[in-house]
C-alpha cells in the first residue's frame, strides 16, 4: 500500500508532467479550480488548486474532503502512484470505477484531453 508521502510525491510528479505538457493537455491543465484528491485506502485528502498548469497542494487532511472542491478525485494510493508512473490508464480506471472524478460539466469537457 502506498504511503501518504508516496502519494504526495506522485501528485508533485503529476504537477511537473502537466507543466511540461503542450497542446490540448496544456490547455486543459490551465484551468483555475479548487481541487481535492481523496486517497480512499489511507482516508486522507490532499486539497489545493489547479492553476497555471500546476497542481498546488495546500493541505493534507484526515478523512474525506472537508469542502466541495470544483474538481474532486478519489482513488487508492496505489492507483494514484500507478497512474502517475504510467502503469494504469486513467480512462480505463475511471470507466471501471477504480477512480472517481467529479467536476462541473464544462470542466469535464476540458479535462477529457487529460483522460
Amino acid at each position: 500500500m502506498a504511503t501518504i508521502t508516496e502519494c504526495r510525491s506522485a501528485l508533485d510528479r503529476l504537477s511537473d508532467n502537466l507543466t511540461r505538457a503542450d497542446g490540448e493537455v496544456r490547455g486543459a491543465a490551465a484551468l483555475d479550480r479548487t481541487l481535492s484528491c481523496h486517497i480512499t485506502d489511507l482516508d486522507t485528502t490532499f486539497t489545493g488548486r489547479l492553476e497555471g498548469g500546476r497542481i498546488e497542494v495546500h493541505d493534507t487532511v484526515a478523512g474525506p474532503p472537508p469542502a466541495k472542491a470544483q474538481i474532486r478525485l478519489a482513488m487508492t494510493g496505489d492507483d494514484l502512484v500507478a497512474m502517475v508512473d504510467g502503469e494504469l490508464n486513467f480512462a480505463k480506471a475511471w470507466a471501471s470505477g477504480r477512480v472517481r472524478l467529479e467536476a462541473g460539466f464544462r470542466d469535464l469537457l476540458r479535462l477529457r484531453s487529460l483522460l
Side-chain angles (χ1 to χ4, degrees), residues 1-7 38-46 61-63 75-78:
M1 176 171 26
T3 65
I4 291 173
T5 303
E6 290 170 324
C7 292
H38 184 222
I39 307 301
T40 55
D41 57 335
L42 300 175
D43 198 24
T44 299
T45 301
F46 296 96
V61 297
M75 68 197 79
T76 67
D78 288 341

Side-chain angles (χ1 to χ4, degrees), residues 73-75 79-80 83 88 90 93-101:
L73 292 161
M75 68 197 79
D79 285 346
L80 172 64
M83 278 192 311
L88 177 64
F90 182 87
W94 185 40
S96 70
R98 287 176 66 176
V99 173
R100 287 191 324 264
L101 169 64

